[in-house]
Amino acid sequence: MESDSDSFTDFFKHHYPRVIAMLVVHRRFTEVTAQDATAEAMTRLIQHWGKVQAPQAWVRTVASRLACQLAGSQQQVGLPEWELIDQRSAQDLAAAELALAAGTAIGALPRRQREVMTLTLVDMTPSEIAEILGCTPAQASANLAHARRTLRNAMRMDKEA
């Protein structure tokens, strides 16, 4: 049986780079702010490990809030001009890379659809997305369905052009 320490270590190894990518790609924070916020969120999570029912959503929510505090609630506009320094993290984040590649189409979506689609592309479920965005899982699913339909239509229009 896996100890709490081992299960947290596995969780940390898997989710730490993903949370950083979510903050950089989705929320447009600098990599330094994302790393600091994620490290602090992971530190807080280990203190409550075993009590938190949805640690992935919990750590993403806490990291997002901490990043806002660290950045003085000022998010950057546009995508960062640089690549992630930690290449292992970048390789582990195929979903984030897909979001960047599809950035133009996703960027044209309405704000809530764009948020839901981007979080989906970093492997979050509608329930986790709902926790982060402060809506119901049904609303997150509906926004995701609308976003997918809009993207499908945009792809059809590109093929016809």
Side-chain angles (χ1 to χ4, degrees):
M1 182 165 187
E2 192 174 40
S3 72
D4 280 351
S5 176
D6 291 339
S7 64
F8 179 80
T9 300
D10 290 342
F11 177 87
F12 181 89
K13 285 178 184 176
H14 183 73
H15 292 285
Y16 180 78
R18 292 178 183 271
V19 175
I20 290 172
M22 183 265 305
L23 291 172
V24 170
V25 173
H26 172 65
R27 301 294 306 273
R28 311 291 199 272
F29 289 106
T30 65
E31 185 177 5
V32 171
T33 298
Q35 288 173 342
D36 289 348
T38 303
E40 178 61 25
M42 289 291 187
T43 300
R44 292 180 185 185
L45 177 61
I46 199 167
Q47 295 169 349
H48 302 287
W49 190 250
K51 299 175 194 168
V52 175
Q53 291 183 352
Q56 181 179 354
W58 189 93
V59 80
R60 288 173 188 249
T61 300
V62 171
S64 292
R65 290 177 181 159
L66 289 168
C68 287
Q69 291 172 359
L70 289 171
S73 298
Q74 296 297 316
Q75 296 176 9
Q76 296 178 3
V77 178
L79 293 174
E81 296 287 327
W82 37 266
E83 293 184 29
L84 292 173
I85 294 170
D86 182 356
Q87 292 303 315
R88 181 182 55 84
S89 295
Q91 291 169 356
D92 288 345
L93 299 169
E97 291 171 2
L98 176 59
L100 286 172
T104 302
I106 292 171
L109 292 171
R111 181 185 59 80
R112 186 54 67 135
Q113 291 178 22
R114 185 175 56 248
E115 291 171 344
V116 171
M117 179 57 73
T118 304
L119 290 171
T120 298
L121 291 171
V122 291
D123 298 330
M124 295 188 77
T125 66
S127 295
E128 294 167 331
I129 293 168
E131 266 188 68
I132 288 173
L133 298 180
C135 63
T136 67
Q139 289 170 323
S141 294
N143 277 301
L144 180 59
H146 291 302
R148 287 177 172 160
R149 185 173 35 253
T150 301
L151 291 173
R152 272 194 306 271
N153 290 338
M155 288 170 52
R156 279 190 212 116
M157 289 171 51
D158 284 347
K159 286 181 182 178
E160 294 171 0

